[in-house]
Amino acid sequence: MTPTVPNITLNNGVQMPQLGFGVYQVPDADTTAAVAAALEAGYRSIDTAAIYGNEAGVGRAIAESGLARGDLFVTSKVWNSDQGFDRTLRAFDTSLGKLGLEQLDLYLIHWPTPEHGRYVDTWRALERLVADGRVRAIGVSNFEPDHLERLLAETDIVPAVNQIELHPALQNRATAAANTRHGIVTEAWSPLAQGAVLGDEAVVASAARHGASPAQVVLRWHLQQGRVVIPKSVTPSRIAENLDVFGFELTADELAAIDALERDGRTGPHPAEFHAA
């Protein structure tokens, strides 16, 4: 039986599946098959980005799936070099064209890159896209609390989502708390720490107790704390396994043991130190 993924209600009332499929680092040539496998397994939320170079592959899988557009939740992101009001609007048109869609469900600013000083103007472009009905919800990615505070002070729409690196080894607690304080949903990228936490004793012990895989346990840990999570795989069996996490529940003690794995174990760049063009 295909698992039913619960929805999270975003701060503008839009419903977003709590567990989605990410395609970071999946080559475009492999993306169509991977997304097709995910849709077949029961995923209905797909997360891509302009910089991934695979929006066209995602679009092909959606077109070939036969699924109604209203049954899917599609996210993409504007890259750093396309920030600024006019450039963001053009980048959005490009992404939409590659995806073969008329509307996105969620559009994110990929990184704040504060040294460029353009994320407020970029956000105003996203607000325009909402006003024009071209995107249902807008958000940010990798924004620290100070970046959020500036957006909230200078613009009109509170981000619906902040997608940040978050996993047991890097729990990003200050940013997650800021998100919660402002009614912003926390979405975890690299939710499995690229495998770095799957051998930890607390994870392995819970997996044995529940007859689950370590990856399933970590995904369950995320879900029970109310986050949106987007695991990635190109292996159909693993894609299906990552979705099959709704038949067990971690205890409070198990959650606490995984919480204790925090070790500042970042797998990607720190937003304050990431200066990509």
Side-chain angles (χ1 to χ4, degrees), residues 1-127:
M1 190 175 74
T2 301
T4 300
V5 177
N7 287 328
I8 293 270
T9 302
L10 303 180
N11 57 20
N12 65 348
V14 167
Q15 299 280 304
M16 179 179 187
Q18 194 179 1
L19 195 153
F21 184 68
V23 295
Y24 174 56
Q25 293 182 329
V26 180
D28 190 63
D30 300 330
T31 296
T32 302
V35 173
L39 296 175
E40 178 69 23
Y43 291 82
R44 292 297 179 263
S45 176
I46 309 297
D47 178 277
T48 184
I51 196 65
Y52 299 170
N54 56 21
E55 289 171 314
V58 170
R60 287 191 297 271
I62 290 171
E64 294 167 7
S65 71
L67 293 167
R69 175 66 183 92
D71 292 338
L72 298 172
F73 191 98
V74 183
T75 301
S76 194
K77 312 176 193 77
V78 59
W79 186 240
N80 305 336
S81 57
D82 287 321
Q83 284 202 33
F85 189 87
D86 292 333
R87 294 181 76 162
T88 294
L89 295 178
R90 287 196 296 271
F92 179 85
D93 286 341
T94 299
S95 288
L96 215 57
K98 289 181 178 178
L99 288 160
L101 301 177
E102 295 182 357
Q103 183 189 55
L104 273 186
D105 298 287
L106 179 64
Y107 197 45
L108 307 178
I109 302 177
H110 207 149
W111 291 88
T113 55
E115 73 277 11
H116 294 163
R118 295 199 293 263
Y119 67 81
V120 170
D121 285 339
T122 303
W123 187 252
R124 291 190 177 116
L126 269 58
E127 291 180 324

Side-chain angles (χ1 to χ4, degrees), residues 199-207 209 217 254 257-258 261:
D200 286 10
E201 184 179 350
V203 174
V204 172
S206 289
R209 218 173 281 126
V217 165
E254 288 173 320
I258 297 173
L261 298 178

